[in-house]
């Protein structure tokens, strides 16, 4: 069994180094730093494999030849020979040699990984972890992308590896990621970009990458962040710089249109708000309160038939805008008036609630 | 609780004294853990950002 | 209950008390050792059952058996129960049984404290159980979905279960600190005349170092979880950035305990190996002095490299470089230990009874786990491995062979001494093979999962990870169920079997083998003279 395990390691890992599709090794790196990390991973694994083979060979030789059933007589003085006297020096020196080989190479790579470029034209992306979605702020372009997992019915085989809005990044530009969190610890991990970093509430950590090929790269949150830790995929859409510029323009246009719509002095009908509200609820609220509105008590209370959704509108708006301290309910005040109005209207009329209330953007404005 | 008298009073005193010293060591680590750690933490901490 | 009316002779020769009083009021190192071992065996099955539930859930993508919080709670409980409930008490049980017999002492130095340090454990286990049960009752709050590392702020969100857990950790800590004090005092003050420190059996040396480690690091964990408790209930903000604290501080406190804890789990088993391998190779341990030195070096370096568990928190370049090099250097003393074991086998006259099979398995698999540890020590590469299934595979390869198999080897090695009966060798070998094969099927594929991008502690995964998870889960069932065989062998040996001689193994050396099998209730009441 052990021998089989050894063969598996030596054979499979090296053989399949280039065949990432088997999922035996890291996927093919898409950034310079990731490539260096990949190389040092292969180096240490190579050294480890060689050492393992040596140890196994010696042990199995001994197991076969130095056994009582073969009539072998134990050498009672082996530990007092010159070897026995000096091995405590010889062995550490040999191990130290291996250690220094690894540490020397690792140190060079480490400096490159840690040394985040400080150039003027670097692109900053602020990555904020939320329970349980990612927020990407393109600080240089004034764009914000909210990225959430897609339920299995819609994502199929990519379930837990697919999001609604990917992180679109250009190739050939140095990108600095600024990681932080709105609630608990998260960790941003896309193997092709290599560098994993924790998102710590109240602090900012940074990593960087320069993408060298186009493609779609998938990762997941790597720090346990509560109930739906498994539902925080990250998708990086690596595109050429031209495509990226076009994408930025598109996002800006959408943003302008949404702002115009929200500020328009219009009275919205129940049906319009319900349609908008359903979409918004299902992307932003359903992770905790569920599509059915039944929640997951005790952590996430039901909204269907709850005191809140059937109580005064003012209280309802207050909790949505300001959150509820001491619980997982975060403030949603960054949404615009129209979005909050739609969500609250939906929550008060969906399922069995049927309150018949219509909350207008103007009401939200007043409540802020 | 029946304890066989295999320890001379002298050995017993020696044992109990050493036990208190070790217990004191543990308590020392408990009470100093916080100030010690905040100090270490400032040194090791998030210098990467500065 | 006073002993003052008894003369010395009566005290030495009285038989074990009968009934429950024998156990509840016990001050006898052998009885307390048995209690520890039984407790550990029960906890092994509780912790194992939670592991099997985890693997059943991960058998297929999707959420079938456990809702996410329950899953994470089981992950938390599996770790805590195995570490604090199974491995540490089992090692303490071996220490209680063997140390007085090995150093020619009549009992532990502080027998009543010995009683206390065991009987705190069932109370702590109850607390731990309550933390698991409470969320199922109305108003019980959420489950502990944080993993055993209980990092804030997530652990501040959890309901009252977390408070139970914090108190359970306090109790477990008190228990192990008391036991450690007792062991150190016993080893320093109670050795038979003529037994110099450097003549002590290796198992005693390993426990001496382990006990010192425990005294130094457990209070730090206790301090950390106390701060957490204050953050949760008394408005402090040690770990809350909004109040001027830092969540990362907790991680430093936790891993300052957590990393030496690995050596606490590991060293007693290294001690067992230092007896088993020479016994079945029929020649003395190679490099006794270097073994002692290596062990002290491991413990010392192990105390100052804790942050290699937190490479991703954004430390300064200087700090990560230091932690990386320190961690890589641990391979020197550990490599020396492994080398000494191999050199002990070399040119021996080996036979392969169950304890020796486990010992050989440990040497091979622990080397494997140690080498993947060197890979993890390399900071840039760890930016990939960190918190992936690769880490899960690595530490199981270290802790199963390094700690648990060592304890199995010790149990099989000394079972004839304890019970007076030889265990069934055929069944023992069967247990070894099912156990080790099951173990490798379970954990080897997890390396691949981690490299392919599967994070740890997720309840649900993408279909691309299915194949290896299926293999791993099947292996886990074999591995888990194989322990029923262990239970059967132990019960069978206690109830009867071939009579064991005083020196149950041909090559066994040491004072414990001079005593009858099973030994009298009180042994070495007259200390042996060591030449």
């Amino acid at each position: 069994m052990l021998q089989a395990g050894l063969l598996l390691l030596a054979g499979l890992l090296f053989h399949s180094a280039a065949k990432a599709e088997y999922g035996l090794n890291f996927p093919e790196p898409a950034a310079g730093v990731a490539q260096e990390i990949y190389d040092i991973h292969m180096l240490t694994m190579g050294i480890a494999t060689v050492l393992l083979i040596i140890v196994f060979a010696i042990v199995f030789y001994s197991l076969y030849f130095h056994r009582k059933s073969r009539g072998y007589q134990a050498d009672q003085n082996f530990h007092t020979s010159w070897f026995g006297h000096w091995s405590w020096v010889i062995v550490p020196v040999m191990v130290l040699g291996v250690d220094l080989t690894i540490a020397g190479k690792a140190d060079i790579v480490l400096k490159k990984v840690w040394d985040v470029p400080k150039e003027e034209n670097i692109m900053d992306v602020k990555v904020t972890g939320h329970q349980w979605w990612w927020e990407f702020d393109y600080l240089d372009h004034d764009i914000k992308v909210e990225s959430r997992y897609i339920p299995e019915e819609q994502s199929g085989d990519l379930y837990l590896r697919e999001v609604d809005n990917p992180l679109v990044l250009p190739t050939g530009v140095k990108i600095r990621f600024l990681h932080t969190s709105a609630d608990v610890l998260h960790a941003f991990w896309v193997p092709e970009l290599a560098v994993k970093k924790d998102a710590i509430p109240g602090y900012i950590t940074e990593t960087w990458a320069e993408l060298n090929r186009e493609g779609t790269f998938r990762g997941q949150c790597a720090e346990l962040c509560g109930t739906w830790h498994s539902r925080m995929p990250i998708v990086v859409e690596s595109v050429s710089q031209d495509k990226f510029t076009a994408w930025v323009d598109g996002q800006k246009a959408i943003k302008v249109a949404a702002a115009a719509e929200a500020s328009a002095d219009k009275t919205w009908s129940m049906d319009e708000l319900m349609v908008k509200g359903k979409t918004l609820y299902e992307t932003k609220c359903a992770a905790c309160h569920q599509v059915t509105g039944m929640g997951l008590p005790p952590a996430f209370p039901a909204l269907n038939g709850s005191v809140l959704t059937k109580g005064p509108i003012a209280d309802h708006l207050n909790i949505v805008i300001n959150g509820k301290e001491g619980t997982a309910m975060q403030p949603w005040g960054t949404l615009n008036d129209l979005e909050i109005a739609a969500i609250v209207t939906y929550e008060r009329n969906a399922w069995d609630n049927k309150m018949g209330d219509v909350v207008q953007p103007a009401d939200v404005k007043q409540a802020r | 609780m029946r304890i066989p008298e295999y320890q001379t009073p002298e050995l017993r005193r020696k044992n109990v004294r050493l036990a208190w010293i070790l217990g004191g060591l543990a308590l020392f680590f408990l009470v100093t853990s916080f100030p010690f750690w905040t100090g270490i933490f400032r040194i090791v901490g998030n210098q990467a950002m500065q | 209950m006073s002993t003052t009316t008894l003369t010395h002779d009566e005290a030495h020769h009285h038989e074990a008390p009968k009934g429950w009083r024998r156990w509840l009021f016990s001050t006898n190192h052998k009885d307390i050792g048995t209690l520890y071992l039984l407790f550990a065996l029960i906890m092994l099955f509780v912790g194992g059952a939670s592991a099997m539930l985890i693997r059943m859930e991960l058998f297929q993508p999707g959420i079938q058996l456990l809702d996410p919080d329950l899953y994470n709670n089981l992950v938390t409980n599996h770790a805590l129960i195995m570490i604090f409930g199974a491995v540490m008490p089992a090692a303490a049980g071996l220490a209680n049984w063997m140390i007085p017999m090995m150093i020619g002492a009549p009992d532990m130095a502080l027998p009543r404290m010995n009683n206390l340090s065991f009987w705190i454990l069932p109370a702590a286990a109850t607390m731990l159980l309550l933390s698991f049960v409470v969320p199922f009752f109305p108003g019980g709050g959420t489950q502990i979905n944080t993993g055993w590392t209980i990092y804030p702020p997530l652990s501040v969100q959890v309901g009252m279960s977390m408070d139970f857990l914090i108190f359970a950790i306090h109790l477990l800590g008190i228990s192990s600190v008391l036991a450690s004090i007792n062991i150190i005092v016993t080893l320093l003050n109670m050795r038979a005349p003529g037994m110099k420190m450097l003549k002590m059996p290796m198992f005693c040396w390993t426990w001496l170092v382990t006990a010192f480690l425990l005294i130094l690091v457990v209070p730090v964990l206790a301090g950390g979880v106390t701060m957490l408790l204050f953050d949760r209930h008394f408005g402090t903000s040690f770990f809350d950035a909004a109040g001027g604290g830092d969540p990362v501080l907790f991680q430093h406190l936790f891993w300052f305990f957590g990393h030496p804890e690995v050596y606490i789990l590991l060293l007693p088993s290294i001690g067992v190996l230092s007896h088993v391998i020479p016994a079945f190779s029929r020649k003395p341990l190679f490099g006794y002095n270097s073994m002692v030195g290596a062990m002290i070096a491991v413990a010392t370096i192990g105390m100052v490299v804790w942050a290699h568990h937190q490479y991703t928190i954004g430390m300064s370049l200087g700090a990560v470089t230091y932690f990386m090099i320190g961690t890589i250097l641990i391979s020197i003393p550990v490599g020396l230990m492994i080398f000494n074991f191999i050199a002990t086998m070399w040119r021996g006259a080996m036979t392969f009874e169950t304890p020796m099979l486990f010992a050989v398995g440990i040497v091979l698999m622990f080397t494997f786990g140690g080498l993947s540890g060197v890979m993890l020590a390399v900071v840039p590469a760890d930016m990939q491995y960190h918190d992936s299934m690769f880490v899960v595979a690595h530490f199981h390869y270290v802790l199963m062979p390094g700690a648990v198999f060592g304890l199995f080897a010790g149990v099989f090695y000394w079972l004839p001494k304890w019970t007076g009966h030889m265990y069934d060798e055929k069944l023992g070998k069967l247990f070894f093979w099912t156990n080790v094969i099951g173990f490798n099927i379970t954990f080897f594929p997890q390396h691949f999962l981690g490299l392919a991008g599967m994070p740890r502690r997720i309840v649900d995964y993408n279909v691309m990870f299915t194949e290896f998870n299926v293999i791993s889960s099947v292996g886990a069932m074999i591995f888990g169920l194989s322990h029923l065989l262990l239970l059967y062998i132990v019960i069978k040996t206690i109830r009867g079997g071939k009579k064991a001689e005083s020196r149950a193994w041909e090559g066994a050396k040491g004072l414990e083998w001079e005593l009858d099998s099973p030994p009298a209730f009180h042994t070495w009441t007259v200390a042996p003279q060591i030449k």
Side-chain angles (χ1 to χ4, degrees), chain A residues 64-119:
Chain A
Y64 185 74
F65 289 103
H66 305 147
R67 54 165 73 214
K68 198 186 174 196
S69 56
R70 285 174 59 96
Y72 195 89
Q73 293 292 316
D75 177 358
Q76 297 297 342
N77 297 315
F78 185 56
H79 64 294
T80 54
S81 62
W82 70 269
F83 185 68
H85 279 298
W86 292 104
S87 59
W88 72 276
V89 181
I90 301 168
V91 174
V93 167
M94 281 161 56
V95 179
L96 182 66
V98 176
D99 285 357
L100 289 180
T101 314
I102 295 173
K105 187 89 194 331
D107 198 43
I108 298 166
V109 180
L110 175 61
K111 285 205 174 73
K112 279 185 200 152
V113 174
W114 238 248
D115 188 23
V116 180
K118 300 276 187 274
E119 291 135 55

Side-chain angles (χ1 to χ4, degrees), chain A residues 13 19-28 38 41 161 189-192 196 217-220, chain C residues 384-385 387-391 444-456 458 461-469:
Chain A
L13 286 193
K19 299 184 182 170
E21 66 271 23
Y22 289 142
L24 289 170
N25 203 348
F26 289 134
E28 195 192 336
Y38 183 86
H41 155 72
R161 304 284 281 178
W189 182 32
V190 180
E192 283 90 345
K196 183 182 290 139
F217 311 125
R218 296 170 197 279
Q220 289 178 247
Chain C
Q384 287 278 30
Y385 309 135
D387 261 324
S388 75
M389 289 301 277
F390 190 86
V391 175
F444 198 77
Q446 295 184 2
H447 290 103
F448 303 126
L449 285 173
L451 296 180
M454 180 172 166
R456 61 192 283 212
I458 53 174
Y461 55 84
N462 179 263
V463 285
M464 69 182 277
F465 303 124
T466 310
E467 285 84 355
F468 286 127
N469 270 305

Side-chain angles (χ1 to χ4, degrees), chain C residues 400 405 434-435 438-439 442-443 474-483:
Chain C
M400 281 307 298
F405 288 175
T434 46
N435 197 261
F439 165 76
T442 310
F443 292 106
V474 170
M477 296 305 129
I478 302 172
F479 184 49
L481 291 175
S482 75
H483 293 87

Side-chain angles (χ1 to χ4, degrees), chain B residues 22-34:
Chain B
L22 293 168
L25 185 69
L27 269 181
F28 176 76
F29 264 70
L30 177 69
V31 295
T32 54
S33 59
F34 178 64

Side-chain angles (χ1 to χ4, degrees), chain A residues 1-2 5 8-9 12-13 22-27 37 40-41 44-45 48 51-52 55-56 58-63 66-69 72-76 78-79 83-84 87-88 91-92 95-96 99 102-103 106-107 109-111 113-114 131 157-161 183-185 189 191 194-198 200-203 205 220-231 298-299, chain C residues 63 68-69 72 141-142 145-147 151-154 157 241 245-248 251 281-284 286 290 311-317 320-321 324 328-329 331-332 336 339 342-343 345-352 360 363-365 367-368 371 374-375 378-381 383-388 437 440 444 448 450-465 468 506:
Chain A
M1 174 57 214
L2 290 165
L8 203 65
L9 180 89
L12 280 182
L13 286 193
Y22 289 142
L24 289 170
N25 203 348
F26 289 134
I37 288 176
I40 194 151
H41 155 72
T44 51
M45 192 162 68
L51 289 176
L52 200 67
V55 169
F56 272 55
I58 295 172
V59 171
F60 277 105
Y61 178 90
S62 182
L63 290 184
H66 305 147
R67 54 165 73 214
K68 198 186 174 196
S69 56
Y72 195 89
Q73 293 292 316
D75 177 358
Q76 297 297 342
F78 185 56
H79 64 294
F83 185 68
S87 59
W88 72 276
V91 174
V95 179
L96 182 66
D99 285 357
I102 295 173
D107 198 43
V109 180
L110 175 61
K111 285 205 174 73
V113 174
W114 238 248
Q131 279 175 317
D157 277 357
L158 285 172
Y159 175 55
L160 301 175
R161 304 284 281 178
D183 34 51
V184 300
L185 302 173
W189 182 32
V195 181
K196 183 182 290 139
K197 209 65 155 188
D198 287 1
I200 303 164
Y203 288 79
T205 48
Q220 289 178 247
C221 173
E223 179 67 61
L224 182 53
C225 53
T227 312
W228 292 117
H229 171 48
S230 57
R231 289 188 178 170
Chain C
I63 298 174
D69 282 335
N72 283 331
T142 43
N145 55 9
T146 61
Y151 283 173
L154 186 58
Q157 285 183 356
D246 191 328
V248 176
Q251 304 185 11
S281 306
R282 292 168 181 76
K283 77 197 221 346
F286 187 93
S290 70
Y311 283 151
T312 59
I313 56 169
M315 283 181 283
S316 64
L317 179 64
V320 279
T321 311
M324 171 172 80
I328 293 178
L329 288 182
S331 62
I332 294 176
L336 189 56
F339 169 81
I342 297 174
M345 300 197 292
W346 191 259
R347 295 210 204 160
M350 281 187 271
T351 51
F352 299 97
V360 173
V363 169
L364 297 175
M365 289 181 290
T367 307
F368 181 87
L371 287 167
V374 175
M375 293 169 70
V378 173
V379 181
M383 304 314 275
Q384 287 278 30
Y385 309 135
H386 185 86
D387 261 324
S388 75
I437 291 173
N440 280 287
F444 198 77
F448 303 126
L451 296 180
M454 180 172 166
R456 61 192 283 212
R457 293 165 165 171
I458 53 174
V459 62
D460 192 2
Y461 55 84
N462 179 263
V463 285
M464 69 182 277
F465 303 124
F468 286 127
E506 189 192 349

